[in-house]
Amino acid sequence: MTGAAGGERSRLVRALALSRRFHLYLARCASPRAADQLVAKLLAALPQLGRTGVGLVRLEPYRGRPDDTPLIDGELAERVLLPLLDPPEELRGAIHLVDASRAAYADTEAWAQLFALWNEKRNVLGPSRGEVVVMLPATLAPVFAAAAPDVWSIRSGEYAVEEDAGAREAGLEVHEPGSTPMSAKMRSDDGLFVLPEHLLEAHVAASTAAAASARGHIDDALLLVRAVSPLALFGGDLVVAPWVSDFLVQSGADALVSELHAMEQRSLSDVAPPLRARRMLRVANALLAERRFGEAEALYSDLLALIEAHDAELTAVALSHLAIAVAAQDRADAAAVHANRAFSLVGAEPGRGSVGAIELPDVRQAGALVQWCLGHLEHADLLDQLLVIEPKGGIHRWRTYVPFANTLSHILRRVERGRVASALAQSRALASLDLHEDHLEGVDAVWRMTCADIEFLSGNIDSSLRELDRALVEDTAWPAEHASLAGRREIAVALVEIVRGNEDRASKILRRATHAAVQLRSELDLEGGRRAAAFHAVTSGLLAMVTGDPGGAATWFDNARGRIADWGRLGLDRRSRLRAQVFAELLGAALQPEGGGAVAAARDVSRQAEALLGDTAEDHMSRVLTVAAHRELARRLAGAGDGGARAAAQRAAAFAQPLGGLGVPAWDELLRAAERSL
């Protein structure tokens, strides 16, 4: 590591090398991976700096725990405080590392209790003891200061320890020749380990060699994950919800189809055309609600042929819903034709049966959905007039009649258009206004998940994780129409933990969140269950990739492709589904061995990404995928000795240009990486 962050870590190492008595140091670790790298640095550097023969004891309360439940006071006391205050005689001069770097939001109270108890027992540590390093996330530092003011006051230094992306060592095990694995010899379920000096060289050499082999692919994968928010891939149902919610409450299509058939078997003279047309619309809407898109499209077409535009109101509604059915079948261009025809009937020809106020939203909402599917995001926003803000008392409050789903949709669409900084400010401001009505079940949980998504994209990993954890702790009741969000929240926690470097917790979460657990939970959330299963597969593949299991990762990404296809058969949300498809293809392509097949796969995914970006190129999430795809293509072409590598790199850099300076650190990093590859 270079720069100020590397200097902070080196300063701490030098301080420990020079110390020969009790000192307390505070290391604010940017991630659990940063804590792991600090330990590796201590193991390698202390003997080189003259501090030989010293024991190193790492008190890790999270290691060896069978599940992901919050820590309790007694557990922390047993695993951390007792070994720290009353170590065996042979370890009284050792350096003790209190590792809280993997602390989740739900563990905050337990850590506060431990710090408070430590404060009471502060006099036990003294000159006869070795040094203590407390490694914790920035969010726990004020908790430590408040709960243990006396211990806090005796610290000898504070250090900000950032992550070194070039020295990732998480998940590696070290074997001494002819011996059992070090993890078996030196680790125990209480999180304690002591590394003797004669194993230090083997540890560093093995870790460095193993990390170097997959470093580039893993770093690129993690950069891509940080640059595309989880809801942009697996949460598009929150974006389209206000445009489709009206007809989704309808059901019982089979019974309605039977009634319609019985009506058609009667003499046509017995059934007035307006009545028959209204019944056809009701049946078609029910088919659309049940995601029977082909049947719905056929019935809407029959309905339009029956009324032949004599009823402008009914025609506009039927065309609008037909546009939704066609867009759901990935024919967005054809859907736009139907949506535009509906608009031409709205007020275009007075006297032909005016379209009422109830019907106008159908036309506008369907148009917004179709434009969003096409990637014309600004046009979609202009059509979406449901969300209204008005000034009141010097602040902006949402009108009480505005559906909560539209608030989420509006903010998420701002993120998609690259307005991340303003979306972050808006989400934080709204969160402070207590806007959520009591009768809207589960609103707070859904809102926190949305806030977590924007914090994640903004690079605020700890804040994102805190919001996700609070969504579970504070509100476990999820709305029926978003029942799968409970499963998606859990998987999102695992994804953030992977980025944060806490693969152990991510693994526990994903084992618990099996496919069965995240499958369909509500008849009102058919699509969401499939979406959650795809999210689970992609995140599991990423975990396997990061922890050095490329074969397992490839299997998971293949599984994800199938899950995304399952979701597509039910999906009203074309854009985020296709983003998820390109995302999974990109991660899978990076795992392929060098050769013509790898070049072909990279070329194919770059075409998919560029096509999804569309003619207006407004969708910044698709832009990120396009940049990553062309970078992968350039790398593959260069490996094959193909002269087209430079052109692909130039294309990646050109697509990356609009990503700079928008409040997303990963976008800035992606832009710099694309420019460096020229």
Side-chain angles (χ1 to χ4, degrees):
M1 178 184 292
T2 59
E8 288 282 284
R9 190 173 67 183
S10 297
R11 284 180 53 231
L12 174 56
V13 172
R14 286 196 299 271
L16 288 167
L18 294 173
S19 176
R20 292 296 186 273
R21 62 182 180 84
F22 170 73
H23 286 99
L24 176 68
Y25 300 101
L26 182 69
R28 301 174 187 256
C29 295
S31 69
R33 191 178 291 118
D36 293 341
Q37 292 164 0
L38 172 61
V39 175
K41 180 69 173 178
L42 290 171
L43 293 171
L46 287 180
Q48 297 173 3
L49 295 174
R51 187 93 189 259
T52 59
V54 64
L56 192 68
V57 180
R58 186 176 183 180
L59 302 173
E60 294 182 282
Y62 295 95
R63 183 169 295 278
R65 299 184 81 238
D67 53 38
D68 186 48
T69 56
L71 289 170
I72 58 175
D73 302 349
E75 195 174 12
L76 270 179
E78 180 182 352
R79 292 177 173 231
V80 175
L81 197 60
L82 290 178
L84 176 65
L85 299 182
D86 189 23
E89 187 64 34
E90 64 273 16
L91 295 180
R92 285 185 173 262
I95 298 173
H96 283 72
L97 308 174
V98 177
D99 189 356
S101 65
R102 287 169 168 77
Y105 170 79
D107 301 327
T108 302
E109 184 59 32
W111 279 105
Q113 292 295 329
L114 177 128
F115 294 143
L117 188 56
W118 186 0
N119 203 61
E120 295 176 8
K121 306 291 184 181
R122 59 190 179 279
N123 293 328
V124 175
L125 291 177
S128 63
R129 301 295 181 84
E131 298 81 356
V132 175
V133 180
V134 182
M135 303 187 297
L136 40 65
T139 52
L140 269 188
V143 177
F144 187 12
D150 296 326
V151 176
W152 178 267
S153 67
I154 65 171
R155 68 197 186 284
S156 299
E158 288 187 43
Y159 305 86
V161 179
E162 299 293 334
E163 182 177 330
D164 184 353
R168 183 175 294 105
E169 297 174 352
L172 297 177
E173 300 288 359
V174 182
H175 299 256
E176 187 183 17
S179 71
T180 57
M182 180 181 296
S183 58
K185 294 177 60 179
M186 310 310 296
R187 294 182 182 271
S188 62
D189 287 343
D190 64 1
L192 176 71
F193 73 81
V194 182
L195 290 173
E197 182 181 348
H198 73 281
L199 290 180
L200 297 181
E201 185 176 350
H203 171 86
V204 175
S207 296
T208 302
S213 63
R215 183 181 306 151
H217 291 170
I218 293 173
D219 289 347
D220 282 348
L222 289 174
L223 174 58
L224 178 61
V225 170
R226 290 189 289 111
V228 185
S229 67
L231 289 184
L233 300 172
F234 302 100
D237 48 339
L238 295 176
V239 173
V240 304
W243 301 329
V244 299
S245 58
D246 289 343
F247 65 78
L248 287 183
V249 298
Q250 304 182 55
S251 61
D254 287 333
L256 292 172
V257 169
S258 297
E259 291 180 19
L260 182 62
H261 287 167
M263 176 183 292
E264 291 174 343
Q265 289 172 1
R266 295 160 54 188
S267 171
L268 292 179
S269 61
D270 295 338
V271 182
L275 177 59
R276 184 179 176 214
R278 293 287 177 179
R279 178 56 59 89
M280 290 175 69
L281 178 64
R282 183 183 175 195
V283 176
N285 288 349
L287 290 169
L288 184 56
E290 294 181 9
R291 315 304 171 92
R292 294 157 66 173
F293 301 127
E295 296 174 71
E297 179 185 357
L299 194 53
Y300 286 128
S301 299
D302 290 344
L303 169 59
L304 290 167
L306 173 66
I307 57 181
E308 297 180 343
H310 295 306
D311 185 333
E313 176 182 320
L314 189 58
T315 300
V317 173
L319 282 169
S320 298
H321 292 188
L322 173 61
I324 293 173
V326 172
Q329 298 175 77
D330 288 351
R331 289 154 42 215
D333 289 333
V337 173
H338 300 308
N340 291 337
R341 283 186 60 200
F343 269 103
S344 71
L345 293 172
V346 179
E349 298 182 46
R352 292 189 57 204
S354 61
V355 178
I358 295 177
E359 311 306 341
L360 180 58
D362 290 84
V363 177
R364 183 176 59 241
Q365 291 166 28
L369 173 66
V370 170
Q371 293 302 320
W372 182 80
C373 288
L374 288 169
H376 302 165
L377 306 187
E378 183 177 6
H379 193 178
D381 283 347
L382 291 174
L383 292 172
D384 181 15
Q385 301 297 320
L386 293 179
L387 191 61
V388 180
I389 305 177
E390 64 177 6
K392 182 178 181 181
I395 61 174
H396 288 80
R397 285 187 177 274
W398 303 101
R399 288 184 180 178
T400 56
Y401 64 83
V402 175
F404 177 73
N406 199 275
T407 308
L408 297 177
S409 177
H410 173 78
I411 292 179
L412 290 174
R413 280 181 279 122
R414 291 185 69 84
V415 173
E416 290 179 340
R417 295 181 62 194
R419 316 290 173 79
V420 181
S422 63
L424 179 63
Q426 188 177 24
S427 67
R428 288 176 172 174
L430 290 172
S432 69
L433 294 179
D434 192 22
L435 302 171
H436 315 313
E437 300 179 33
D438 293 338
H439 68 275
L440 296 177
E441 183 184 29
V443 155
D444 193 58
V446 181
W447 179 254
R448 290 199 178 282
M449 189 168 177
T450 304
C451 292
D453 198 67
I454 304 173
E455 295 281 3
F456 176 83
L457 193 62
S458 302
N460 307 318
I461 302 301
D462 286 342
S463 296
S464 176
L465 191 61
R466 181 173 63 251
E467 294 294 342
L468 287 170
D469 284 340
R470 290 179 69 182
L472 175 65
V473 172
E474 296 186 2
D475 196 340
T476 57
W478 296 82
E481 66 271 21
H482 295 310
S484 69
L485 280 176
R488 279 183 274 172
R489 184 216 68 88
E490 194 167 30
I491 300 164
V493 173
L495 181 72
V496 176
E497 289 287 18
I498 293 171
V499 170
R500 185 171 170 250
N502 193 357
E503 290 92 351
D504 182 60
R505 187 185 184 205
S507 178
K508 291 171 183 175
I509 292 171
L510 291 173
R511 284 198 301 268
R512 182 173 69 239
T514 59
H515 290 163
V518 299
Q519 284 293 338
L520 181 63
R521 299 181 180 215
S522 167
E523 290 299 318
L524 294 178
D525 195 15
L526 294 168
E527 180 186 351
R530 284 24 173 216
R531 192 187 302 260
F535 190 14
H536 181 275
V538 168
T539 306
S540 297
L542 179 67
L543 178 63
M545 191 177 185
V546 169
T547 54
D549 180 12
T555 299
W556 275 115
F557 294 141
D558 284 340
N559 181 284
R561 295 185 187 99
R563 298 287 177 176
I564 292 170
D566 290 342
W567 155 18
R569 284 187 281 272
L570 294 172
L572 287 160
D573 166 22
R574 174 181 184 268
R575 179 146 293 271
S576 72
R577 172 172 55 81
L578 293 180
R579 288 186 197 129
Q581 178 177 308
V582 172
F583 184 79
E585 293 285 354
L586 262 172
L587 293 177
L591 295 170
Q592 290 199 21
E594 295 293 341
V599 171
R603 198 182 301 279
D604 180 63
V605 75
S606 66
R607 288 171 180 160
Q608 291 182 49
E610 199 165 330
L612 179 59
L613 182 59
D615 54 354
T616 64
E618 295 178 61
D619 181 354
H620 280 57
M621 301 301 168
S622 296
R623 180 178 293 278
V624 166
L625 294 171
T626 303
V627 174
H630 282 288
R631 288 189 68 221
E632 174 67 14
L633 176 59
R635 183 177 71 84
R636 293 298 189 175
L637 289 172
D642 192 307
R646 180 166 179 79
Q650 290 173 335
R651 198 155 180 78
F655 277 117
Q657 279 302 314
L659 294 174
L662 296 176
V664 181
W667 292 1
D668 294 331
E669 187 177 341
L670 188 62
L671 172 59
R672 291 191 295 270
E675 291 175 340
R676 284 196 304 269
S677 63
L678 292 176

